[in-house]
Amino acid sequence: MHGMVSRQGKPIGVDFEVNWAASELALRGQPAAVYDFKRFHATEEQAVGKGTFAGPWIYPPTFLIVVLPQALLPYLWSLAIWMTLTAAGYALVLRKIIPRTETFWPALAFPGAFANLMNGQNGLLAFSLLGAALLTVESYPVVGGAFFGLLTYKPPMGVLVPFVLAATGRWRAFWAATFTAIALAGISFVMFGAETWRAFFNTLGFTRQMVIENGGVKFYTMQSVFAAARLLGGGVATAYFFQIVAAATAAVLVIWIWRQSIQFELKASAFAVGMVLASPYILYYDLVILALPIAWLALEGRRSGFLPFEKSLLVIAWILPLACESIAHYAFIPLTPLVSILLLGFITRRARAAAMVPAPAMATAASL
């Protein structure tokens, strides 16, 4: 390291510099400048020193509400607090799913979580919101819907939400999510002004063309079906076609699973895996959300027995965030879509079997 920046131009907590720079500009009263690439990069260099990589701010203004206080502290202190808080949310969600102390270290060592800790990313926040939404949407639909609404700070992660909630008649959760998303946007509008929202919409074309379609983020780094098609030589239109097919198929399967009278762990697992397949823009550290289906399917396997090769698939899914980028880079094998398809297939198989069990028998089995 040269100060806080490596010879490759990567600072400590490499992606957190985006948060800190956005906070600094917003606190100066210049929130719209987060979408001005030159001014934004100059602020990034102010945070960590000259020579750092140029990371753009591609989030909606709603995320500015979350990161706003971060530049009140020096960069390293702010990074430490951010990662501590988001890691705590991650640990609390998993502790709620598996209330056993010995699960903490394996959960923290999960490469998806570790990638977020090392990169200063916000995937642990997205995980916490998604996990909280899934854990509460059945018993407290308004609360669960509100958590879904907060997830709109990262739009690609919420592709399935309105379709699943509406198609399965969970209207209280649907309207709670809608109201929360609108309220969050309204608060950001009041705090940061119409100019910031105009600047955001003006950059959407740049984000779509340069970051997603043309490899601004390398296709081996992105883990979506779209990126897989581009990595294998497909054109933009072909990649969009496969992404739409994958998203539609995932939506149909997840909705079917959610409409069955089965244990909710299978429904929640299907939703998390479906999000990976439906999102056109997902990176290796976003795969931290796979901790949810891994945990729930492991519990289901211990309760009712594992399907053939299911343990092996769960191990591969656990390693996936560590290996997927390198395998895609050097072997041109887009592993994440393949593993996600297999996971959703196993969950669908379990859901089909559970749906065929009479309700009293299923209740008896669930009580064991």
Side-chain angles (χ1 to χ4, degrees):
M1 307 294 290
H2 298 274
M4 288 192 290
V5 182
S6 72
R7 287 179 293 179
Q8 291 77 31
K10 294 184 178 181
I12 298 172
V14 54
D15 291 320
F16 182 76
E17 71 169 18
V18 172
N19 291 15
W20 196 95
S23 171
E24 175 68 11
L25 286 169
L27 290 173
R28 288 184 202 165
Q30 304 167 17
V34 301
Y35 300 105
D36 182 327
F37 185 73
K38 290 184 178 179
R39 294 174 66 185
F40 189 72
H41 182 50
T43 308
E44 289 177 320
E45 291 189 319
Q46 173 189 334
V48 296
K50 296 290 184 180
T52 185
F53 92 115
W57 175 269
I58 60 175
Y59 298 98
T62 49
F63 194 39
L64 278 175
I65 300 172
V66 179
V67 305
L68 186 62
Q70 292 179 355
L72 293 173
L73 292 173
Y75 180 86
L76 290 179
W77 278 106
S78 189
L79 170 63
I81 292 172
W82 170 252
M83 297 321 303
T84 299
L85 292 176
T86 54
Y90 167 82
L92 285 172
V93 167
L94 284 179
R95 183 65 183 268
K96 182 68 175 178
I97 297 172
I98 309 176
R100 296 170 59 176
T101 304
E102 63 268 27
T103 63
F104 175 77
W105 291 113
L108 192 62
F110 174 46
F114 199 70
N116 280 273
L117 292 170
M118 293 300 294
N119 287 284
Q121 255 295 331
N122 62 76
L124 294 176
L125 174 61
F127 172 94
S128 302
L129 294 174
L130 175 62
L134 291 172
L135 286 168
T136 57
V137 70
E138 289 287 88
S139 52
Y140 304 100
V142 173
V143 175
F147 280 122
F148 276 130
L150 292 174
L151 196 59
T152 55
Y153 86 86
K154 200 167 187 173
M157 301 294 286
V159 175
L160 286 182
V161 172
F163 299 103
V164 174
L165 294 181
T168 58
R170 288 171 168 79
W171 293 110
R172 292 176 66 190
F174 178 90
W175 291 117
T178 302
F179 175 80
T180 302
I182 293 173
L184 196 63
I187 293 170
S188 69
F189 185 90
V190 172
M191 292 179 65
F192 307 120
E195 183 183 353
T196 303
W197 274 95
R198 279 196 297 269
F200 166 65
F201 286 119
N202 288 338
T203 61
L204 288 179
F206 165 82
T207 301
R208 175 177 57 82
Q209 293 177 7
M210 299 304 297
V211 176
I212 299 177
E213 295 178 353
N214 297 323
V217 174
K218 302 297 184 182
F219 295 129
Y220 59 78
T221 299
M222 290 172 58
Q223 300 301 311
S224 64
V225 172
F226 177 91
R230 294 289 280 144
L231 179 71
L232 296 175
V236 173
T238 301
Y240 274 125
F241 171 78
F242 282 109
Q243 180 62 59
I244 291 170
V245 170
T249 303
V252 169
L253 287 175
V254 173
I255 289 170
W256 179 83
I257 290 170
W258 274 53
R259 293 178 68 90
Q260 306 307 306
S261 297
I262 59 176
Q263 54 269 46
F264 189 73
E265 290 81 359
L266 293 178
K267 299 179 182 181
S269 297
F271 192 97
V273 177
M275 287 179 67
V276 175
L277 287 169
S279 175
Y281 182 76
I282 186 166
L283 281 76
Y284 69 96
Y285 42 72
D286 293 320
L287 298 181
V288 65
I289 64 174
L290 291 181
L292 294 171
I294 290 172
W296 273 315
L297 288 175
L299 288 174
E300 181 63 20
R302 285 178 62 88
R303 185 186 68 82
S304 60
F306 287 95
L307 300 174
F309 303 107
E310 191 173 28
K311 285 183 180 179
S312 299
L313 180 59
L314 292 179
V315 170
I316 293 171
W318 196 88
I319 297 172
L320 186 64
L322 179 66
C324 60
E325 186 179 24
S326 296
I327 291 174
H329 188 188
Y330 296 108
F332 291 92
I333 299 174
L335 201 57
T336 297
L338 298 176
V339 173
S340 300
I341 290 169
L342 288 173
L343 277 172
L344 191 55
F346 272 74
I347 296 167
T348 303
R349 182 179 172 185
R350 279 190 172 277
R352 184 180 177 185
M356 296 173 66
V357 176
M362 188 173 70
T364 302
S367 65
L368 294 178

